Amino acid sequence: MQQLTTTPFGRRQVTSGLIASAARAAVPAADDAVDKWQVFRDLTTARAALGLPSRALTVLSALLSFHPETELCGDDPIIVFPSNRRLAERAHGMAEATLRRHLAALTEAGLILRHDSPNGKRYAARDGSGALSAVFGFDLRPLLVRAAEIAAAARATRDAAEALRRKRECLVLLIRDCDKLAAFIGPRDDPAGAASHTTPLAGLRAALRRKLDAAALDQLCNCAATIRSALETQAAALCQTVQSSGQDAQTER
DNA sequence: ATAATAGCGATCTTAGCCTT
DNA sequence: AAGGCTAAGATCGCTATTAT
């Protein structure tokens, strides 16, 4: 049906990304069929991990809208052939230069493949019977081939975000513990006491206001745990002192 | 006519810092 | 905690040029 008479490279400069994605698209897909919008949602989640700009997804969404079916399936190329003008219309009026840049980014990322015609235009040629004899445009098949990989990347992104949230929560709780211990020690006229921890605690609170990666959060948690441990020791010593003086009064009685 | 690339200035986004 | 400010980098869109 969709007979291909072109290479995926067309007139463009060949890059390692293009060669890799062309080879990948030739591999049989693990899934028989995938929901194109589910793949798109997974890509949206894993966008940063795949190094895609957000507007590239706008362009991909526009490209997907030219595929008449909801599912991507089969062993043949899945080619859509909109002109840049039609594509720009469906990409919320994106300027064509920008559109081309993002099409190049999607190609380089191995999410779509180009099948260029001799004159660079995108179209479907039909034979005498009206059947498609050649189609020139963008091949969406890499999305089918890589659907499982994209879904896994989306899961990994969600897991990483959740892990980051938990680490942050842990740090907030540690800082809160330190604040409470410092408040307990402070009013009891401890000379070295809680005041020596005020500066590092302020530093931890300031750090919390920034965007932190997992390694930075781990380091801050360790730091907070060390401070809490020191404060706990001081608080315990203080309790001992209070108890001792209390016993004197009891003895007198 | 249509599509592609490249250069360049304009605009937007983000991180970090500071103030309230 | 929320919001404002700034600098740096990323992104955008216009334009010129070339290819088919």
Side-chain angles (χ1 to χ4, degrees), chain A residues 47-231:
Chain A
R47 182 181 66 77
L50 295 166
L52 283 174
S54 63
R55 303 265 274 164
L57 290 180
T58 306
V59 174
L60 183 62
S61 166
L63 273 175
L64 286 171
S65 75
F66 284 97
H67 179 57
E69 315 295 333
T70 305
E71 285 193 331
L72 304 173
C73 58
D75 295 325
D76 295 321
I78 305 162
I79 297 184
V80 291
F81 42 92
S83 69
N84 278 350
R85 181 174 297 183
R86 293 279 161 264
L87 210 42
E89 279 173 7
R90 292 203 193 178
H92 312 295
M94 183 182 290
E96 287 195 10
T98 309
L99 181 77
R100 289 191 194 99
R101 255 196 292 267
H102 289 304
L103 285 169
L106 289 168
T107 308
E108 188 61 26
L111 297 174
I112 57 172
L113 266 180
R114 288 178 187 272
H115 288 295
D116 287 346
S117 69
N119 64 3
K121 296 180 191 176
R122 301 178 202 122
Y123 58 87
R126 292 172 189 279
D127 59 19
S129 66
L132 292 176
S133 60
V135 185
F136 303 101
F138 295 106
D139 186 359
L140 304 176
R141 190 170 152 74
L143 294 175
L144 169 61
V145 174
R146 298 180 66 187
E149 177 198 338
I150 292 165
R155 267 195 305 279
T157 301
R158 279 191 289 269
D159 290 349
E162 176 60 20
L164 212 56
R165 194 189 63 75
R166 277 199 298 268
K167 281 181 197 291
R168 206 177 171 82
E169 201 173 72
C170 172
L171 178 58
V172 169
L173 290 174
L174 278 168
I175 292 174
R176 193 175 300 169
D177 282 356
C178 290
D179 284 341
K180 285 179 178 171
L181 285 165
F184 171 77
I185 297 165
R188 286 165 175 77
D189 300 317
D190 178 50
S196 64
H197 299 291
T198 308
T199 309
L201 277 174
L204 289 175
R205 268 191 293 273
L208 260 181
R209 286 162 59 187
R210 289 186 224 122
K211 188 178 182 179
L212 299 162
D213 60 18
L217 280 170
D218 280 339
Q219 198 180 353
L220 292 174
C221 280
N222 287 338
C223 181
T226 306
I227 295 173
R228 184 180 68 175
S229 171
L231 285 168

Side-chain angles (χ1 to χ4, degrees), chain A residues 10-34:
Chain A
R11 292 182 291 167
R12 265 152 294 282
Q13 192 181 3
V14 175
T15 65
S16 56
L18 278 183
I19 294 171
S21 59
R24 207 158 22 206
V27 170
D31 299 303
D32 292 336
V34 294

